[in-house]
Amino acid sequence: MRSKSRSSAMKKLDAHAATYRWLRRPLCRRYAVVVFNTFSKLKQRIDPNSNRTICWAFGTLLNGDSEILGAWHPDTNAATPPEVFGQLYHRGIEFVRCGLGDLVDVEAAFKAAFRNSATYPSIEQTLTATLADVEPRHRSGMSRLLRAAVGDPVDEGSTVSSPDISSAELRERYPKLTLQWHEAVARFQPLFALPEPYCRLVRSVDQAAAEVQGRLEREIHRHGPFVDSDEAFDFVVARLRRADLQLDREARAAQHARDASAWQSRRRLPPSGGTVGATTLAYRVLP
């Protein structure tokens, strides 16, 4: 029995050490997009005993690979405290092309840490906050209605209405939310003004971060109340680490596919050039 207890204690210690290393690991120098997101007691019911929030960051490199940069449990209920930017800077990040999230109150701190960077509101976070005030049976229809307003494609075989309510009825039922969304769309305009390929990248990164956030929220809901804020933080970090490992596996698989495609391209090209036996390698690395 004592041996099992010691083994369990060692496993917990090893897990804690791995988490410590992951949260403090060096990061890359340059990121195309970093999304800052938050789990709060008020919306996610993570920790009923504390008003402190858990914030985390999702980053995409200039080559398109994504990773989870870390998580923080600051002594504040702010969405993203300024010290988070300093910690990311000290872990190696020197440049962020743009930051997404609730950064209005800390924009100066963000730009002080990452010069020549831009900040934009997150469409996905704004959408989630808006839909939180919609009745569950209407959320699917309202989501399609609001997404249509920002130019997101709607399934051809469906309408922007729930089975029991039309688009006009949704607008009439939620006039305040509809107005708030139109005001939000106006705030999104600088994002839409970006060059089309980059705007598309920012939107895809925003959606990828929202998918991770959504999965975690469902796991938090299934778990129920936590003993304290430390237990909640450990739970969230463990899930984020697991998601980060999956992102790494996907990036490696994509790189393997690109390498295989490049190799096949080289094999198909006819030999050319000056020196006997030399082959000119003229191929494009796939994005």
Side-chain angles (χ1 to χ4, degrees), residues 18-284:
T19 296
Y20 182 90
R21 290 194 300 271
W22 182 75
L23 289 173
R24 289 160 181 79
R25 74 195 189 281
L27 298 170
C28 296
R29 292 177 55 198
R30 300 168 65 85
Y31 287 81
V33 187
V34 174
V35 183
F36 296 91
N37 218 328
T38 302
F39 297 100
S40 69
K41 173 206 164 187
L42 181 62
K43 292 182 180 178
Q44 317 303 342
R45 297 184 299 119
I46 280 185
D47 180 4
N49 302 314
S50 171
N51 286 324
R52 291 165 65 186
T53 59
I54 296 174
C55 56
W56 66 286
F58 182 99
T60 292
L61 297 165
L62 299 176
N63 68 356
D65 291 345
S66 296
E67 63 177 326
I68 294 172
L69 307 182
W72 299 266
H73 199 194
D75 293 318
T76 175
N77 58 3
T80 305
E83 58 263 30
V84 167
F85 309 136
Q87 290 179 25
L88 289 175
Y89 179 82
H90 289 303
R91 288 173 59 198
I93 302 180
E94 297 178 2
F95 177 76
V96 175
R97 175 63 181 83
C98 75
L100 263 64
D102 185 8
L103 303 176
V104 175
D105 294 334
V106 292
E107 185 173 7
F110 179 84
K111 291 187 175 180
F114 310 115
R115 301 193 176 192
N116 302 316
S117 300
T119 60
Y120 302 98
S122 163
I123 292 179
E124 297 301 320
Q125 292 173 26
T126 306
L127 178 65
T128 299
T130 302
L131 292 175
D133 294 325
V134 176
E135 292 180 39
R137 64 195 178 98
H138 295 152
R139 282 178 190 164
S140 178
M142 197 68 176
S143 176
R144 294 191 187 99
L145 182 66
L146 299 182
R147 285 192 178 281
V150 293
D152 286 354
V154 178
D155 294 341
E156 293 294 332
S158 66
T159 64
V160 292
S161 64
S162 297
D164 60 338
I165 189 168
S166 68
S167 302
E169 288 171 328
L170 281 171
R171 294 188 186 93
E172 186 176 346
R173 190 179 188 91
Y174 302 102
K176 195 173 188 179
L177 294 182
T178 303
L179 177 61
Q180 289 175 351
W181 184 252
H182 282 297
E183 293 172 351
V185 171
R187 296 195 300 272
F188 300 151
Q189 293 311 308
L191 173 58
F192 295 141
L194 290 172
E196 195 274 334
Y198 200 80
C199 180
R200 189 169 64 247
L201 171 65
V202 173
R203 291 297 314 279
S204 68
V205 175
D206 194 15
Q207 290 165 2
E211 289 176 6
V212 175
Q213 174 91 1
R215 287 198 299 271
L216 236 67
E217 288 173 0
R218 290 189 290 273
E219 292 189 43
I220 290 166
H221 181 75
R222 286 194 294 268
H223 182 282
F226 293 90
V227 173
D228 54 31
S229 57
D230 289 336
E231 185 191 15
F233 183 68
D234 290 344
F235 180 89
V236 168
V237 170
R239 270 57 186 178
L240 287 173
R241 280 189 63 207
R242 187 171 65 189
D244 193 48
L245 288 172
Q246 179 62 33
L247 288 169
D248 183 63
R249 286 192 292 268
E250 291 172 357
R252 290 175 184 273
Q255 184 61 52
H256 180 74
R258 288 195 293 265
D259 292 344
S261 177
W263 173 251
Q264 289 299 323
S265 297
R266 291 199 301 268
R267 292 187 63 187
R268 286 195 296 267
L269 286 172
S272 62
T275 306
V276 176
T279 301
T280 301
L281 303 181
Y283 63 92
R284 179 174 63 90

